Amino acid sequence: MRERSVVGVVFGLLVLIGALLTGCQSPSGGVAEDGRLGEPATGRTGNTVTVSPVPTRPSGYGAVFLAIGECSSFGTTSFTEVSCTGERAAARVAARHDGTVRDGPRCPSTTDFVLHISEQRPASDEDGDGAVPQGYACMRNLQPPHPGDPGGGGGPRTIVGDCVYDSGGGQVRETACDGTGERRPQYEVVRAVAERTDCPGPTALYVRLGGKRPVGCARPL
C-alpha cells in the first residue's frame, strides 16, 4: 500500500545482479491534514523499482531492453526481461522513456508499477551487446490485481477514483476503495480540476495529481 501526498510521487530501488533484478520498496508521498501540498514519504512495495540491466544480444524479445510491449517476470526479489508468451511473464511495458521519472513524461494513469533502469555502457561490444541508457518502464500486470486501476489501492500515480486514509502525522495513504485493503478508506478523489476553487463544495482534501488538471478533489466517505 503506497503512502501518498498531494504530490502523488513514487520512487524505489531494484538492482540487477547478472540477469536477475533485485527489488526494494518504493517511496511515495504524504499529504497535510489541512490539504496543503506535502513532501514525499515512504510508500508501498512494488510500485517503483530500479534495475541495472545487463544488455543482451537481440533475441526477438530482447533487442531493446524492456521496450514497449515487452514483458518482465515478477517476484518479491527479482525482475528480468522474458518472452511475453512464456509462463514467467507477469507484466508488460505500457510505456518506455529515457531519463528519469522526474524529468520525463508521465506514465499512463493505470500503470501498476514503474521499473527504473540504470545506465549500462559496456567498454567493448565484441559479442554484439549494446548500451542501455538510463530510463524507466511503466508496467501493467498481465493478470489482476491491478493496483493502478481507480480505487485499486496502489500504483505509482494518484488518479480520480482512488481512496486514501489518514495514516497520522499529517499524511494519508492509499487503500482499496472496496474495503479489501488493510485499512478502511476515508476519502475518495472524485474530480481532477485546474484550480482548488473548481472543486465541489464537500471537498475535504486537495491532492496534487499533475498534468493539465493537477488538483484532485477528495471527499470524505
Side-chain angles (χ1 to χ4, degrees), residues 72-150:
S72 73
S73 65
F74 181 74
T76 57
T77 60
S78 66
F79 290 84
T80 187
E81 183 181 298
V82 297
S83 170
C84 290
T85 60
E87 62 182 15
R88 295 179 60 203
R92 188 185 301 272
V93 180
R96 174 74 157 81
H97 304 290
D98 291 339
T100 65
V101 171
R102 181 181 297 275
D103 300 325
R106 306 173 74 212
C107 283
S109 60
T110 56
T111 297
D112 288 328
F113 63 98
V114 177
L115 290 177
H116 290 269
I117 302 165
S118 63
E119 184 179 44
Q120 181 76 17
R121 296 190 179 278
S124 62
D125 195 24
E126 297 176 353
D127 61 356
D129 290 349
V132 176
Q134 180 184 24
Y136 57 99
C138 309
M139 308 299 294
R140 175 80 172 172
N141 294 332
L142 295 179
Q143 301 293 334
H146 293 290
D149 282 351

